[in-house]
Amino acid sequence: MNLAVDTPWLLAGLLLTVLPLFNNGLRLTAMPWLTMIPADGVSLAIALLLRLIAMSAIAGLVLGLAGLHRTEQSVERIGQGAHIVLLLDRSSSMDNTFAGLAASGKVDETKATAARRLLTAFVAQRKNDLIGVAEYSTSPLFVIPLTENRQAVQAAIAATATPALSFTHVSKGLGMALSFFQEQPLTGSRIVVLVSDGAAAIDSDDEQKLRQWFKQQQVRLYWIFLRTAGSPGIFDKPQDSRDDNAQAMPERYLHQFFSSLDTPYQAFEAESPHALANAISDINRLENLPLQYVERIPKQDLSAVCYMLATLLVTLLLGIKCVEIKR
Amino acid sequence: MNEHLHYRLQWQSGAVYPGAHPGQMVGGGQLFKRHVPFIASPDPRRIDLRASVLDPFNGFSVRVYQQQSSIKLYLVADLSASMRFCGESSKQQSLVQLLLDMAYSACNYGDSFGFIGCTDRVKPCWYMPAGQSLERVKALAADISQAYFSGNAHGLIHATPYLPGHRALVFLLSDFHFPLSQLRELLSSLQNHDVVPIVLWDSYECDNWPDWGLVSVQDLESGKDRTLFMRPALRQKIRVAYAQRQMALKECFRAFGCEPLFMTAAYNAALINRYFQQRVA
């Protein structure tokens, strides 16, 4: 309960709350000798209550004017879930269908649309997760940091509907995805979900760095490979040994690199929206470790409550004024 | 219009001046008092032959008669802030009425009338020595009806030195809203005189409260205030408190040989006349 006010100098008005101590608002009726009137507990209680009501009413008005609010605060919670970074491929091939064709009409769904639809559903399911979104194409795109705000994440995913860019620079994208976990407490599981439809060779310098970062941040990696019909898959072995290099088969080599990481890694090959849905539900099932996380509660304006209270109390005082005896 | 107060005495006035009340002096009266030797009252018209013949020393006995004497009449009034109370009737107006009626009656009887107004002391401006002029009383009454009373009633005790040395009829007008110990002290200082205590209360303060409601009452003397939640039970409590106070006051006054007169309505001369009729009987 961290309370604060917008205009602190108005709090000087709280001094006015002592006024009811001097005058209870009732008209004074003269009496020759008060000693003649016997002590009465009920009257005493009502007199006290009257002053209290008047003081609260003034305090309510002053606090309302000063703009009382509850400051933004963070609550520590424990739930089931993970820190998830969705790393989305924004290369232009994502705008093609699974069949490798440009989307025509409403019949075929592009890979990006399918991914968007299924990830949106995935995000909606994961109630307690912190989810961040990063994208990559020619260079990595910082979209949204790890947050519990579902709406923001959904909006970030929806934003991938804009036309994609050209290249696929996966190592920089991974670097950015891993950077999301810096300055985050190590609790629950940490996941990078890489959604891509292609791969690129990673040079040895980047390889070194990624190895180190994956180890440091203890991040699990899930790679959902949206395979276009006819293109080489992750698990395919080259028929010709001359093609067995990173330039010719980047998917295979990327998979090999990921498998050689010290952290758990799983690859899903999805040739259709249905397969993609299966892959996502697998991740959903796998990642349910206890998670300690901090939920942020936004600033709450309490001035309306103050005014309500003051109105109520003033109405009460008005009622009391009506039953006052006039002599 | 002023009404006449038929005040009667149960005692004999020691005053030399003739008046309307039984006195201790012998002189021109109707009521036979005693026989005295001729030498004591050398008036041959009053020689009682029968008594003189029966006298073994052959002296002349003369009849003497009781002289009707005047008395001094005083109104000692409490002019403290509590007398400012104005409920069903104004206590201040009752006081002025009584003052005028007493002066008028005293003038009719040929008595001299004085007024002592007290707050926390005897105020010189509210002190009027005994005399027979009506005009100055009227001026004083006009002053009092305009005055704003303040202070407490401690000055009543200091009124005694302003009263005459011999017995006088003293009307003590107050609401007697002060502790009984103070009242006892006051009454013992007035033992020399014939005291008629008039207790001026108002139905608004003791009885006439509404059944329900909220009221803030302020003490006229101390200025303290209290909030009361009026309800039948509290109303009954106040009534009982006033009834008990009335009993306590009666006991206190009777202990000093005087009967109080309670006035809870507006001033009424008939009430005072009835009081004197009952007292003599």
Side-chain angles (χ1 to χ4, degrees), chain B residues 129-149:
Chain B
Q132 289 185 319
S133 160
L134 260 182
E135 286 312 308
R136 54 182 197 134
V137 177
K138 281 179 182 164
L140 181 75
D143 275 358
I144 288 178
S145 60
Q146 299 296 320
Y148 183 80
F149 297 163

PDB file of all heavy atoms in Angstrom, chain B residues 129-149:
ATOM      1  N   PRO B 129     -29.509  51.700  47.380  1.00  0.00           N
ATOM      2  CA  PRO B 129     -29.843  51.652  48.812  1.00  0.00           C
ATOM      3  C   PRO B 129     -31.346  51.841  49.003  1.00  0.00           C
ATOM      4  O   PRO B 129     -32.032  52.362  48.125  1.00  0.00           O
ATOM      5  CB  PRO B 129     -29.063  52.829  49.400  1.00  0.00           C
ATOM      6  CG  PRO B 129     -28.188  53.350  48.325  1.00  0.00           C
ATOM      7  CD  PRO B 129     -28.717  52.881  47.026  1.00  0.00           C
ATOM      8  N   ALA B 130     -31.807  51.412  50.172  1.00  0.00           N
ATOM      9  CA  ALA B 130     -33.245  51.469  50.432  1.00  0.00           C
ATOM     10  C   ALA B 130     -33.735  52.914  50.406  1.00  0.00           C
ATOM     11  O   ALA B 130     -33.080  53.805  50.932  1.00  0.00           O
ATOM     12  CB  ALA B 130     -33.546  50.828  51.781  1.00  0.00           C
ATOM     13  N   GLY B 131     -34.863  53.120  49.791  1.00  0.00           N
ATOM     14  CA  GLY B 131     -35.436  54.454  49.707  1.00  0.00           C
ATOM     15  C   GLY B 131     -36.871  54.347  49.260  1.00  0.00           C
ATOM     16  O   GLY B 131     -37.367  53.234  49.043  1.00  0.00           O
ATOM     17  N   GLN B 132     -37.529  55.451  49.102  1.00  0.00           N
ATOM     18  CA  GLN B 132     -38.958  55.387  48.806  1.00  0.00           C
ATOM     19  C   GLN B 132     -39.309  55.996  47.450  1.00  0.00           C
ATOM     20  O   GLN B 132     -40.484  56.090  47.122  1.00  0.00           O
ATOM     21  CB  GLN B 132     -39.740  56.074  49.916  1.00  0.00           C
ATOM     22  CG  GLN B 132     -39.690  55.242  51.194  1.00  0.00           C
ATOM     23  CD  GLN B 132     -40.553  55.824  52.272  1.00  0.00           C
ATOM     24  OE1 GLN B 132     -40.578  57.032  52.446  1.00  0.00           O
ATOM     25  NE2 GLN B 132     -41.245  54.977  53.011  1.00  0.00           N
ATOM     26  N   SER B 133     -38.294  56.337  46.673  1.00  0.00           N
ATOM     27  CA  SER B 133     -38.593  56.958  45.386  1.00  0.00           C
ATOM     28  C   SER B 133     -38.831  55.902  44.322  1.00  0.00           C
ATOM     29  O   SER B 133     -38.046  54.964  44.161  1.00  0.00           O
ATOM     30  CB  SER B 133     -37.439  57.865  44.982  1.00  0.00           C
ATOM     31  OG  SER B 133     -37.495  58.098  43.598  1.00  0.00           O
ATOM     32  N   LEU B 134     -39.928  56.044  43.587  1.00  0.00           N
ATOM     33  CA  LEU B 134     -40.232  55.079  42.526  1.00  0.00           C
ATOM     34  C   LEU B 134     -39.449  55.368  41.257  1.00  0.00           C
ATOM     35  O   LEU B 134     -39.144  54.471  40.488  1.00  0.00           O
ATOM     36  CB  LEU B 134     -41.727  55.132  42.204  1.00  0.00           C
ATOM     37  CG  LEU B 134     -42.604  54.051  42.812  1.00  0.00           C
ATOM     38  CD1 LEU B 134     -44.034  54.231  42.347  1.00  0.00           C
ATOM     39  CD2 LEU B 134     -42.111  52.669  42.430  1.00  0.00           C
ATOM     40  N   GLU B 135     -39.111  56.627  41.073  1.00  0.00           N
ATOM     41  CA  GLU B 135     -38.501  57.027  39.804  1.00  0.00           C
ATOM     42  C   GLU B 135     -37.154  56.350  39.577  1.00  0.00           C
ATOM     43  O   GLU B 135     -36.847  55.863  38.496  1.00  0.00           O
ATOM     44  CB  GLU B 135     -38.341  58.548  39.749  1.00  0.00           C
ATOM     45  CG  GLU B 135     -39.643  59.285  39.517  1.00  0.00           C
ATOM     46  CD  GLU B 135     -40.447  58.695  38.373  1.00  0.00           C
ATOM     47  OE1 GLU B 135     -39.883  58.536  37.276  1.00  0.00           O
ATOM     48  OE2 GLU B 135     -41.642  58.368  38.584  1.00  0.00           O
ATOM     49  N   ARG B 136     -36.358  56.344  40.625  1.00  0.00           N
ATOM     50  CA  ARG B 136     -35.028  55.754  40.459  1.00  0.00           C
ATOM     51  C   ARG B 136     -35.138  54.247  40.228  1.00  0.00           C
ATOM     52  O   ARG B 136     -34.321  53.664  39.519  1.00  0.00           O
ATOM     53  CB  ARG B 136     -34.134  56.052  41.659  1.00  0.00           C
ATOM     54  CG  ARG B 136     -34.772  55.632  42.966  1.00  0.00           C
ATOM     55  CD  ARG B 136     -33.985  55.939  44.199  1.00  0.00           C
ATOM     56  NE  ARG B 136     -34.551  55.115  45.242  1.00  0.00           N
ATOM     57  CZ  ARG B 136     -33.849  54.411  46.095  1.00  0.00           C
ATOM     58  NH1 ARG B 136     -32.538  54.486  46.082  1.00  0.00           N
ATOM     59  NH2 ARG B 136     -34.447  53.649  46.979  1.00  0.00           N
ATOM     60  N   VAL B 137     -36.186  53.622  40.790  1.00  0.00           N
ATOM     61  CA  VAL B 137     -36.384  52.194  40.531  1.00  0.00           C
ATOM     62  C   VAL B 137     -36.730  51.964  39.066  1.00  0.00           C
ATOM     63  O   VAL B 137     -36.246  51.033  38.421  1.00  0.00           O
ATOM     64  CB  VAL B 137     -37.488  51.629  41.442  1.00  0.00           C
ATOM     65  CG1 VAL B 137     -37.746  50.176  41.123  1.00  0.00           C
ATOM     66  CG2 VAL B 137     -37.118  51.802  42.893  1.00  0.00           C
ATOM     67  N   LYS B 138     -37.548  52.866  38.539  1.00  0.00           N
ATOM     68  CA  LYS B 138     -37.920  52.730  37.127  1.00  0.00           C
ATOM     69  C   LYS B 138     -36.693  52.858  36.235  1.00  0.00           C
ATOM     70  O   LYS B 138     -36.543  52.119  35.246  1.00  0.00           O
ATOM     71  CB  LYS B 138     -38.969  53.782  36.752  1.00  0.00           C
ATOM     72  CG  LYS B 138     -40.359  53.397  37.216  1.00  0.00           C
ATOM     73  CD  LYS B 138     -41.362  54.466  36.864  1.00  0.00           C
ATOM     74  CE  LYS B 138     -42.744  54.090  37.389  1.00  0.00           C
ATOM     75  NZ  LYS B 138     -43.651  55.249  37.392  1.00  0.00           N
ATOM     76  N   ALA B 139     -35.828  53.809  36.589  1.00  0.00           N
ATOM     77  CA  ALA B 139     -34.601  53.987  35.811  1.00  0.00           C
ATOM     78  C   ALA B 139     -33.738  52.734  35.891  1.00  0.00           C
ATOM     79  O   ALA B 139     -33.185  52.259  34.890  1.00  0.00           O
ATOM     80  CB  ALA B 139     -33.832  55.200  36.328  1.00  0.00           C
ATOM     81  N   LEU B 140     -33.642  52.192  37.114  1.00  0.00           N
ATOM     82  CA  LEU B 140     -32.834  50.981  37.311  1.00  0.00           C
ATOM     83  C   LEU B 140     -33.418  49.817  36.505  1.00  0.00           C
ATOM     84  O   LEU B 140     -32.689  49.058  35.848  1.00  0.00           O
ATOM     85  CB  LEU B 140     -32.803  50.623  38.799  1.00  0.00           C
ATOM     86  CG  LEU B 140     -31.985  49.396  39.159  1.00  0.00           C
ATOM     87  CD1 LEU B 140     -30.509  49.724  39.080  1.00  0.00           C
ATOM     88  CD2 LEU B 140     -32.320  48.892  40.564  1.00  0.00           C
ATOM     89  N   ALA B 141     -34.759  49.687  36.534  1.00  0.00           N
ATOM     90  CA  ALA B 141     -35.410  48.597  35.807  1.00  0.00           C
ATOM     91  C   ALA B 141     -35.142  48.707  34.315  1.00  0.00           C
ATOM     92  O   ALA B 141     -34.881  47.711  33.639  1.00  0.00           O
ATOM     93  CB  ALA B 141     -36.907  48.615  36.083  1.00  0.00           C
ATOM     94  N   ALA B 142     -35.169  49.959  33.825  1.00  0.00           N
ATOM     95  CA  ALA B 142     -34.887  50.161  32.404  1.00  0.00           C
ATOM     96  C   ALA B 142     -33.460  49.741  32.093  1.00  0.00           C
ATOM     97  O   ALA B 142     -33.194  49.091  31.073  1.00  0.00           O
ATOM     98  CB  ALA B 142     -35.114  51.622  32.041  1.00  0.00           C
ATOM     99  N   ASP B 143     -32.551  50.090  33.020  1.00  0.00           N
ATOM    100  CA  ASP B 143     -31.151  49.701  32.835  1.00  0.00           C
ATOM    101  C   ASP B 143     -31.000  48.185  32.802  1.00  0.00           C
ATOM    102  O   ASP B 143     -30.317  47.634  31.937  1.00  0.00           O
ATOM    103  CB  ASP B 143     -30.293  50.251  33.990  1.00  0.00           C
ATOM    104  CG  ASP B 143     -29.861  51.667  33.712  1.00  0.00           C
ATOM    105  OD1 ASP B 143     -30.215  52.162  32.625  1.00  0.00           O
ATOM    106  OD2 ASP B 143     -29.194  52.263  34.575  1.00  0.00           O
ATOM    107  N   ILE B 144     -31.656  47.532  33.751  1.00  0.00           N
ATOM    108  CA  ILE B 144     -31.492  46.076  33.871  1.00  0.00           C
ATOM    109  C   ILE B 144     -32.071  45.372  32.650  1.00  0.00           C
ATOM    110  O   ILE B 144     -31.495  44.406  32.139  1.00  0.00           O
ATOM    111  CB  ILE B 144     -32.146  45.572  35.176  1.00  0.00           C
ATOM    112  CG1 ILE B 144     -31.305  46.022  36.360  1.00  0.00           C
ATOM    113  CG2 ILE B 144     -32.281  44.059  35.171  1.00  0.00           C
ATOM    114  CD1 ILE B 144     -31.857  45.629  37.693  1.00  0.00           C
ATOM    115  N   SER B 145     -33.199  45.859  32.170  1.00  0.00           N
ATOM    116  CA  SER B 145     -33.788  45.156  31.027  1.00  0.00           C
ATOM    117  C   SER B 145     -32.929  45.297  29.780  1.00  0.00           C
ATOM    118  O   SER B 145     -33.046  44.502  28.862  1.00  0.00           O
ATOM    119  CB  SER B 145     -35.219  45.640  30.786  1.00  0.00           C
ATOM    120  OG  SER B 145     -35.192  47.018  30.521  1.00  0.00           O
ATOM    121  N   GLN B 146     -32.055  46.303  29.764  1.00  0.00           N
ATOM    122  CA  GLN B 146     -31.151  46.463  28.624  1.00  0.00           C
ATOM    123  C   GLN B 146     -29.819  45.753  28.839  1.00  0.00           C
ATOM    124  O   GLN B 146     -29.050  45.604  27.904  1.00  0.00           O
ATOM    125  CB  GLN B 146     -30.851  47.958  28.393  1.00  0.00           C
ATOM    126  CG  GLN B 146     -32.066  48.807  28.067  1.00  0.00           C
ATOM    127  CD  GLN B 146     -32.704  48.410  26.750  1.00  0.00           C
ATOM    128  OE1 GLN B 146     -32.014  48.120  25.794  1.00  0.00           O
ATOM    129  NE2 GLN B 146     -34.037  48.361  26.731  1.00  0.00           N
ATOM    130  N   ALA B 147     -29.559  45.361  30.079  1.00  0.00           N
ATOM    131  CA  ALA B 147     -28.203  44.904  30.421  1.00  0.00           C
ATOM    132  C   ALA B 147     -27.915  43.521  29.853  1.00  0.00           C
ATOM    133  O   ALA B 147     -28.821  42.749  29.550  1.00  0.00           O
ATOM    134  CB  ALA B 147     -28.048  44.875  31.925  1.00  0.00           C
ATOM    135  N   TYR B 148     -26.630  43.253  29.677  1.00  0.00           N
ATOM    136  CA  TYR B 148     -26.178  41.923  29.257  1.00  0.00           C
ATOM    137  C   TYR B 148     -25.496  41.276  30.443  1.00  0.00           C
ATOM    138  O   TYR B 148     -24.430  41.713  30.875  1.00  0.00           O
ATOM    139  CB  TYR B 148     -25.190  42.068  28.092  1.00  0.00           C
ATOM    140  CG  TYR B 148     -24.727  40.748  27.535  1.00  0.00           C
ATOM    141  CD1 TYR B 148     -25.525  40.036  26.640  1.00  0.00           C
ATOM    142  CD2 TYR B 148     -23.505  40.216  27.910  1.00  0.00           C
ATOM    143  CE1 TYR B 148     -25.110  38.840  26.135  1.00  0.00           C
ATOM    144  CE2 TYR B 148     -23.079  38.996  27.406  1.00  0.00           C
ATOM    145  CZ  TYR B 148     -23.886  38.315  26.512  1.00  0.00           C
ATOM    146  OH  TYR B 148     -23.470  37.115  26.017  1.00  0.00           O
ATOM    147  N   PHE B 149     -26.141  40.234  30.992  1.00  0.00           N
ATOM    148  CA  PHE B 149     -25.612  39.607  32.199  1.00  0.00           C
ATOM    149  C   PHE B 149     -24.411  38.736  31.865  1.00  0.00           C
ATOM    150  O   PHE B 149     -24.393  38.040  30.862  1.00  0.00           O
ATOM    151  CB  PHE B 149     -26.670  38.734  32.873  1.00  0.00           C
ATOM    152  CG  PHE B 149     -27.872  39.507  33.351  1.00  0.00           C
ATOM    153  CD1 PHE B 149     -29.056  38.857  33.657  1.00  0.00           C
ATOM    154  CD2 PHE B 149     -27.797  40.889  33.504  1.00  0.00           C
ATOM    155  CE1 PHE B 149     -30.155  39.567  34.097  1.00  0.00           C
ATOM    156  CE2 PHE B 149     -28.898  41.602  33.948  1.00  0.00           C
ATOM    157  CZ  PHE B 149     -30.086  40.943  34.235  1.00  0.00           C
TER     158      PHE B 149
END
